[in-house]
Amino acid sequence: MKYLFVLGRNIELSKAEVLTYFEKEKNRILNYNLIKNGLLIDLENEISQKIVDSFGGVVSVGKVLAFGNSKEIQKKLDKINLYSGTKNKLNYVLWNFSEGYETIQNYLKERFREEKLKATFKHLTGSIKLQDGETVFIPSSNLIDEEYFVFGKKEISFGKIISTCDYVSLEKRDMEKPFRRESLAISPRLAKILINLSYVKNDEILLDPFCGVGTILSEALIRGIKVIGIDKDKNAVNGSIENLRWFKFNSQNYELINDDSSRAKISGANVIVTEPDLGETLKKIPPRKIAEETLLRFENLIVRVINNFKGKVSGRVVFTSPYIRIGKKRLKCNIEKIVSSTGYKMIYEIPEYRENQIVGRMIYVLGK
Ligand SMILES: C[S@@+](CC[C@H](N)C(=O)[O-])C[C@H]1O[C@@H](n2cnc3c(N)ncnc32)[C@H](O)[C@@H]1O
């Protein structure tokens, strides 16, 4: 079963998210191949159309309908139904992750002409700027009836997009919740990615020891994961309570504690997923000394918190940390020190930042 995952702006992070997800779901990955922001995965089992909602870093998911070299592929396409609608007029796009793009584009034109369909090829006019600076194109209109894709070099895969992330509802939900704290909150999309990187399973317990107004908690609860949230700020805990009630989650599935996470007590959890304080929101690039002091404070805090909970948490620890721009470079925390002071091993270290952001994030995934 071959599927295409069109990844969001941080390819490295989204790729890690998708691969970890299938590993956790025990849907074996037989093979995968990355071209630009297209990740083609050969999976042992079928996936549901709604799977796109499980990810924070996936734009669209497609299913491969035919594959083969440039000679074989056209013969294979002749045997399959390409248009599933009932009107005899359609607009379509062709996502491009292949050198075989033009051959397929011409094939589609010819095929629709033969089938007497008034088919209009539309260009991808929307765009995403990837973290590495490259721009990739996406559909910008919702007047598209079919989205096809072509992927691969020697072996070409052709398929159809089966679902697309509904960013509009995701953002609407985030904006409408009663308690918001824009400057400190993490986006629901990044929260989903961190949750997936933690390998947490449904019904397990996730601990967020710096829960703020509860973005990570609510994204986990939506997935059927139980949560414990801790924050030393009473207002933040009250904000979390209001937000989780607004979502109408079953209150037996969450616990909120107003305490300092370097000494708070919990009965047990499976994973930690959190965004601690990343230091001040800086408007100007700081001197190296200030950046180093911020990082040192961060390291000391995260070590105290991990050590406080490590006896009670069986699985992974996923956290963001400050990634501070000084001149053209960025400084990150001393992960070797964090790892050696807590007894964990590093699984992933992935940067997440925007070009003009002074304090970006370095994301760490630690395991025992
Ligand atoms: C970056 S914010 C977390 C934002 C959160 N992810 C959200 O979406 O609202 C960090 C939070 O950590 C809390 N905090 C800082 N030090 C703490 C500590 N030692 N124990 C518990 N909470 C702490 C702060 O009060 C703040 O709410």
Side-chain angles (χ1 to χ4, degrees):
M1 311 276 168
K2 290 179 196 264
Y3 295 95
L4 173 75
F5 291 82
V6 181
L7 306 180
R9 49 173 292 285
N10 188 338
I11 294 177
E12 191 189 354
L13 187 62
S14 303
K15 178 180 152 196
E17 182 194 21
V18 174
L19 298 183
T20 309
Y21 179 88
F22 289 115
E23 215 184 301
K24 181 207 71 181
E25 290 290 299
K26 306 256 179 295
N27 190 349
R28 209 151 63 89
I29 298 170
L30 306 172
N31 206 349
Y32 70 84
N33 188 4
L34 180 76
I35 297 180
K36 286 195 278 183
N37 64 325
L39 179 65
L40 195 93
I41 310 188
D42 194 355
L43 286 168
E44 197 165 51
N45 303 315
E46 219 171 306
I47 58 174
S48 90
Q49 211 170 340
K50 284 178 76 185
I51 201 166
V52 74
D53 298 331
S54 309
F55 299 106
V58 174
V59 176
S60 291
V61 177
K63 185 170 186 180
V64 174
L65 301 173
F67 58 92
N69 63 34
S70 52
K71 282 186 192 142
E72 292 163 352
I73 188 93
Q74 299 199 25
K75 281 193 195 130
K76 290 190 176 175
L77 288 181
D78 283 342
K79 293 193 190 115
I80 58 174
N81 184 20
L82 293 183
Y83 173 53
S84 48
T86 48
K87 300 180 290 180
N88 95 322
K89 203 172 164 196
L90 79 141
N91 293 326
Y92 68 97
V93 294
L94 181 62
W95 294 72
N96 180 20
F97 303 95
S98 171
E99 286 156 13
Y101 176 75
E102 276 182 25
T103 317
I104 299 293
Q105 190 185 13
N106 292 335
Y107 173 89
L108 290 177
K109 278 188 187 160
E110 192 53 39
R111 170 86 184 259
F112 290 138
R113 196 176 304 140
E114 278 170 18
E115 292 183 358
K116 306 219 172 353
L117 286 166
K118 282 186 197 149
T120 310
F121 170 80
K122 296 279 183 189
H123 287 279
L124 299 170
T125 48
S127 62
I128 306 180
K129 190 160 185 203
L130 302 179
Q131 185 162 288
D132 66 8
E134 202 187 331
T135 299
V136 291
F137 295 95
I138 57 169
S140 62
S141 153
N142 45 19
L143 300 170
I144 303 293
D145 302 288
E146 295 282 19
E147 290 180 45
Y148 303 105
F149 65 83
V150 53
F151 182 100
K153 290 189 177 130
K154 282 195 186 122
E155 178 170 282
I156 296 173
S157 294
F158 172 88
K160 247 190 217 188
I161 299 295
I162 54 170
S163 54
T164 290
C165 172
D166 185 359
Y167 286 131
V168 179
S169 331
L170 191 64
E171 259 149 45
K172 190 162 169 262
R173 193 178 76 201
D174 190 40
M175 298 301 284
E176 282 176 357
K177 62 188 184 198
F179 207 96
R180 301 193 73 243
R181 238 181 18 170
E182 215 157 319
S183 58
L184 288 175
I186 189 170
S187 73
R189 276 192 253 178
L190 185 56
K192 282 182 185 217
I193 296 177
L194 301 182
I195 294 167
N196 279 325
L197 290 176
S198 78
Y199 217 94
V200 65
K201 301 189 179 85
N202 290 2
D203 268 339
E204 285 190 341
I205 303 172
L206 175 153
L207 165 67
D208 180 352
F210 300 91
C211 71
V213 299
T215 315
I216 295 175
L217 305 180
S218 45
E219 290 307 319
L221 284 159
I222 288 172
R223 292 270 298 277
I225 297 158
K226 296 186 176 120
V227 298
I228 303 172
I230 308 176
D231 203 293
K232 68 174 185 185
D233 174 358
K234 191 154 185 27
N235 282 334
V237 174
N238 288 338
S240 273
I241 294 174
E242 263 193 65
N243 285 341
L244 301 191
R245 280 189 188 145
W246 178 79
F247 272 102
K248 298 195 169 58
F249 295 124
N250 180 345
S251 59
Q252 289 187 341
N253 291 339
Y254 60 84
E255 182 185 355
L256 289 162
I257 304 169
N258 177 211
D259 203 348
D260 183 328
S261 282
S262 47
R263 51 160 200 257
K265 298 267 173 288
I266 59 161
S267 49
N270 298 88
V271 298
I272 294 180
V273 177
T274 197
E275 166 141 292
D277 268 327
L278 300 182
E280 275 175 65
T281 320
L282 301 171
K283 294 209 169 67
K284 277 202 288 189
I285 293 181
R288 174 182 271 270
K289 188 166 170 288
I290 299 288
E292 283 174 350
E293 282 168 8
T294 305
L295 290 167
L296 186 62
R297 269 198 303 278
F298 178 89
E299 288 155 15
N300 292 338
L301 176 62
I302 196 77
V303 166
R304 285 204 308 275
V305 171
I306 295 178
N307 280 338
N308 180 36
F309 293 120
K310 73 178 176 197
K312 298 280 183 184
V313 175
S314 51
R316 287 184 176 181
V317 175
V318 179
F319 64 92
T320 62
S321 65
Y323 190 36
I324 311 174
R325 203 164 130 199
I326 51 155
K328 290 208 168 99
K329 273 180 35 181
R330 284 181 183 269
L331 286 187
K332 58 181 184 178
C333 63
N334 183 344
I335 191 65
E336 290 74 27
K337 182 179 110 186
I338 296 174
V339 159
S340 67
S341 317
T342 57
Y344 277 83
K345 291 193 199 94
M346 188 167 76
I347 301 173
Y348 287 118
E349 175 190 63
I350 305 176
E352 158 66 21
Y353 60 90
R354 296 193 185 248
E355 216 172 308
N356 298 322
Q357 205 175 20
I358 295 171
V359 183
R361 296 171 168 102
M362 187 60 90
I363 294 168
Y364 289 103
V365 179
L366 310 184
K368 281 195 172 159

